[in-house]
């Protein structure tokens, strides 16, 4: 799943509010329930566990063995152990039959894929007609690189290079993760044969900051300034038969 692009931070790095905001937005775009769910780039299973209750069967894939081991340990001995399959697998080569899943989710994953177009095509293949992909990914118009800035071999705070995502050639050299505009992401999804249903912007969750700052950030999501949000959440549907 990765090569020139980094693996990304573990799900826990977004904090409880960051995880909750992403899941809430995806649920609002389209109810999260059905027969089968596939969570790609599942990491330690933070998102998968939250969504699993709405599905009869869940499969979760990632390429990082340590995170998959943590996920397996997390669900061992719980009611999820028999309903959730944890697999070491790349999204651009999914070992599932076509037309298998009602929903595919990818939280903060696509920015790290070396073969993004191939990965989206594979996701479309395994979705049932009428099934949906929901993803979250960095928004290029957020003025800070959320994965940190690479100065040579060292990763430094995003504050060392404000507005870096706005300068694409520089961003490509100083980041190991992509950022997208909504137009770019919409074009990629349509190119993979998916129809965009909903796009929302997410402001920073400020998980450990004063509540007043959280309220201000959340409130901006209802204003035109939301286009400068930290992330976008997109749901796209595979056309039915």
């Amino acid at each position: 799943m990765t090569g020139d692009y980094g693996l990304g931070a573990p799900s826990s790095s977004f904090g409880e509010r960051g995880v909750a905001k992403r899941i809430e937005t995806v649920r609002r775009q389209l109810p999260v329930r059905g027969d089968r769910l596939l969570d790609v780039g599942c990491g330690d299973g933070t998102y998968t566990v939250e969504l699993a209750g709405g599905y009869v069967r869940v499969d979760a894939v990632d390429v990082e063995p340590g995170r998959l081991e943590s996920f397996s340990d997390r669900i061992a001995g719980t009611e999820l152990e028999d309903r959730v399959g944890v697999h070491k697998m790349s999204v651009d080569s999914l070992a599932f039959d076509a037309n298998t899943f009602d929903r595919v989710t990818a939280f903060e994953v696509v920015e790290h894929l070396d073969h993004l177009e191939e990965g989206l095509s594979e996701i479309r293949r395994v979705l049932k007609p009428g099934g949906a992909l929901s993803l979250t990914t960095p928004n290029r118009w957020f003025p800070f690189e959320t994965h940190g800035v690479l100065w040579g071999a060292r990763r430094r705070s995003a504050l060392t290079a404000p507005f870096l995502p706005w300068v694409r050639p520089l961003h490509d050299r100083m980041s190991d993760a992509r950022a997208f505009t909504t137009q770019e992401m919409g074009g990629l999804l349509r190119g993979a044969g998916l129809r965009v249903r909903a796009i929302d912007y997410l402001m920073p969750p400020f998980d450990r900051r004063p509540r007043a700052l959280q309220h201000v950030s959340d409130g901006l999501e209802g204003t035109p300034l939301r286009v400068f949000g930290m992330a976008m959440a997109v749901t796209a549907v595979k056309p039915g038969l």
Side-chain angles (χ1 to χ4, degrees):
M1 189 178 295
T2 59
D4 294 333
Y5 290 96
L7 281 171
S11 303
S12 57
S13 69
F14 296 107
E16 291 183 5
R17 289 196 83 242
V19 171
K21 281 169 68 74
R22 285 168 172 80
I23 290 176
E24 177 187 354
T25 302
V26 165
R27 282 178 169 153
R28 186 171 65 245
Q29 290 179 342
L30 189 66
V32 185
R33 59 176 180 263
D35 181 32
R36 296 196 64 176
L37 167 71
L38 172 64
D39 188 25
V40 300
C42 63
D44 59 9
T46 296
Y47 293 100
T48 321
V49 168
E50 291 294 324
L51 297 174
Y55 294 87
V56 176
R57 170 71 185 181
V58 177
D59 290 282
V61 304
D62 205 297
V63 296
E64 178 56 39
R67 294 180 184 178
L68 292 172
E69 183 178 356
S70 296
F71 187 2
S72 296
D73 291 344
R74 180 179 195 163
I75 62 175
T78 73
E79 62 90 16
L80 291 177
E81 187 173 19
D82 294 331
R83 291 199 299 113
V84 178
V86 180
H87 315 276
K88 185 177 185 296
M89 192 182 302
S90 175
V91 68
D92 57 19
S93 183
L94 295 171
F96 300 105
D97 292 337
N99 306 321
T100 295
F101 296 98
D102 302 278
R103 192 74 165 266
V104 176
T105 52
F107 292 95
E108 306 302 312
V109 172
V110 297
E111 63 270 22
H112 301 291
L113 298 181
D114 285 328
H115 307 291
L116 178 54
E117 290 82 0
E118 290 88 340
L120 292 175
S121 294
E122 272 290 89
I123 288 171
R124 183 193 185 281
R125 182 184 66 80
V126 301
L127 275 171
K128 295 177 181 177
L133 162 66
S134 291
L135 63 87
T136 66
T137 194
N139 172 27
R140 182 173 293 281
W141 294 120
F142 186 63
F144 298 99
E145 170 48 59
T146 57
H147 296 83
V149 178
L150 299 177
W151 293 92
R154 300 186 65 181
R155 190 182 303 272
R156 299 184 182 273
S157 166
L159 298 178
T160 62
F163 306 105
L164 177 64
W166 296 10
V167 186
R168 187 189 302 271
L170 197 58
H171 182 261
D172 289 345
R173 294 206 309 270
M174 299 180 69
S175 174
D176 57 359
R178 298 181 181 88
F180 305 92
T181 66
T182 53
Q183 291 82 6
E184 289 168 343
M185 181 51 62
L188 285 164
L189 292 168
R190 288 189 294 272
L194 299 168
R195 184 177 67 249
V196 176
R197 175 188 174 101
I199 298 177
D200 290 293
Y201 296 94
L202 302 174
M203 286 291 178
F206 295 115
D207 194 60
R208 298 178 179 84
R209 302 301 176 89
R211 192 173 298 275
L213 188 56
Q214 294 174 0
H215 287 326
V216 170
S217 182
D218 292 349
L220 289 173
E221 291 173 1
T223 76
L225 291 176
R226 65 183 178 273
V227 299
F228 296 103
M230 180 176 70
M232 68 177 80
V234 185
T235 291
V237 177
K238 178 177 178 178
L241 296 175

